[in-house]
């Protein structure tokens, strides 16, 4: 539009976390993105109402995607690249698409809104992410160790992404297994696999954007049904690596490649 100056912004949208310290991973990811777009303002929103309410009760205000986009329209942004920091195209991602679509129809709003992400959305994403995880884990895995990645899991049909991910890993490195907290494959499925291959030492690592409550409690906690406890009770030696996806530079590069104006 003649006479109008372009104002570009990036909106990072994540599920969110209320765990103090866990959001550091968002900070490092944001820094990596800012380096690539030094002149572009980056804002952040959380999709989880529960997390935002909990943070609010602690005096921390984080916007929802809709509030963030409304604010960016008010502040004169003409081009906004929304980046979904979700892992698979499940409910949170599809909700985000609907919100972005709604804002595209707002008169005198943002001229252009793109939505990139989530992490696993194309063949190349799977190839690049599995390679990045293999390279990263080669820094701590010894021969004979098995790496078990803990994904979230969902009742959304996109849950099949985890079985797909497992197939990409199988072709790349047979010592990496994928499980989920809430769906298929379950930790019990993982245990069956570990027994079949007579594993002795197992590393647990999150396949989650950040290492929040699920990592502290469900993966590495001491409660009876944590993955660490369950695997130990099956006789495996369990090691833990709490590095989350947003902390692995080549994984963040996959997210970065999805930003476009
Ligand atoms: Co959860």
């Amino acid at each position: 539009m003649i006479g109008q100056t372009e104002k570009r912004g990036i909106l990072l949208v994540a599920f969110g976390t209320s765990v103090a310290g866990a959001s550091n991973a968002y900070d490092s990811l944001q820094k990596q993105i800012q380096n690539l777009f030094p002149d572009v303002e980056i804002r952040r929103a959380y999709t989880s109402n529960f997390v935002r309410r909990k943070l609010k009760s602690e005096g921390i205000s984080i916007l929802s995607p809709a509030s963030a986009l409304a604010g960016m329209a008010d502040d004169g942004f003409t081009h906004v690249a929304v980046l979904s920091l979700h892992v698979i195209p499940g409910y949170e991602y599809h909700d985000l698409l609907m919100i972005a679509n709604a804002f595209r129809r707002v008169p005198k709003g943002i001229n252009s809104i793109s939505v990139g992400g989530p992490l696993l959305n194309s063949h190349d994403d799977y190839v690049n992410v599995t390679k990045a995880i293999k390279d990263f884990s080669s820094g701590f895995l010894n021969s004979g160790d098995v790496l078990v990645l803990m994904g979230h899991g969902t009742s959304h049909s996109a849950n099949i992404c985890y079985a797909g991910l497992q197939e990409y890993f199988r072709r790349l490195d047979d010592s990496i297994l994928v499980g989920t907290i809430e769906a298929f494959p379950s930790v019990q499925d993982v245990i069956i696999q570990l027994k079949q291959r007579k594993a002795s030492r197992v590393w647990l690592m999150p396949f989650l954007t950040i290492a929040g409550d699920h990592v502290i409690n469900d993966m590495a906690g001491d409660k009876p049904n944590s993955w660490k406890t369950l695997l130990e009770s099956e006789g495996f030696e369990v090691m833990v690596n709490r590095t989350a996806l947003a902390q692995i530079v080549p994984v963040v590069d996959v997210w970065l490649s999805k930003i476009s104006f």
Side-chain angles (χ1 to χ4, degrees), residues 27 36 41 44-45 51 69 100 108 116 122 125 144 167 178 183 187 198 202 210-211 221 239:
D27 299 338
L36 198 70
E41 185 181 331
R44 216 185 280 183
V51 168
L69 283 172
K108 298 181 183 171
S122 74
D125 294 340
E167 175 62 11
V178 178
V187 66
K198 298 184 169 59
V202 177
I210 58 154
M239 310 291 282

Side-chain angles (χ1 to χ4, degrees), residues 178-195:
V178 178
T180 70
I181 307 160
E182 292 186 358
F184 175 84
S186 67
V187 66
Q188 297 304 333
D189 295 317
V190 169
I191 287 169
I192 291 168
Q193 301 266 326
L194 290 171
K195 285 179 176 170

Side-chain angles (χ1 to χ4, degrees), residues 139-201:
F140 59 88
L141 287 183
N142 287 322
S143 80
D145 290 357
V146 178
L147 174 64
V148 172
L149 297 171
M150 187 188 77
H152 195 281
T154 174
S155 58
H156 191 278
S157 59
N159 191 67
I160 198 68
C161 292
Y162 295 102
L165 180 69
Q166 178 69 81
E167 175 62 11
Y168 280 81
F169 273 123
R170 191 184 66 75
R171 285 156 189 254
L172 184 69
D173 184 339
D174 204 28
S175 65
I176 302 176
L177 297 177
V178 178
T180 70
I181 307 160
E182 292 186 358
F184 175 84
S186 67
V187 66
Q188 297 304 333
D189 295 317
V190 169
I191 287 169
I192 291 168
Q193 301 266 326
L194 290 171
K195 285 179 176 170
Q196 276 174 358
R197 59 183 69 199
K198 298 184 169 59
S200 58
R201 195 159 82 143

Side-chain angles (χ1 to χ4, degrees), residues 28-67:
S28 66
L29 176 145
Q30 182 165 334
K31 208 171 285 170
Q32 195 176 329
I33 294 175
Q34 191 77 75
N35 287 340
L36 198 70
F37 298 94
D39 303 323
V40 176
E41 185 181 331
I42 300 176
R43 297 190 181 185
R44 216 185 280 183
Y46 287 175
T47 52
S48 168
N49 290 340
F50 172 80
V51 168
R52 277 186 289 103
R53 285 190 196 119
K54 185 147 187 282
L55 287 172
K56 198 166 188 184
S57 73
E58 295 163 6
I60 302 164
S61 171
I62 304 265
L63 297 175
S64 68
S67 302

Side-chain angles (χ1 to χ4, degrees), residues 51 76 78 88 110 124 130 141 188 191 194 242 245 247 249:
V51 168
T78 58
I88 60 160
I110 301 161
D124 285 353
T130 50
L141 287 183
Q188 297 304 333
I191 287 169
L194 290 171
R242 293 166 190 262
L245 296 169
Q247 295 167 293
V249 169

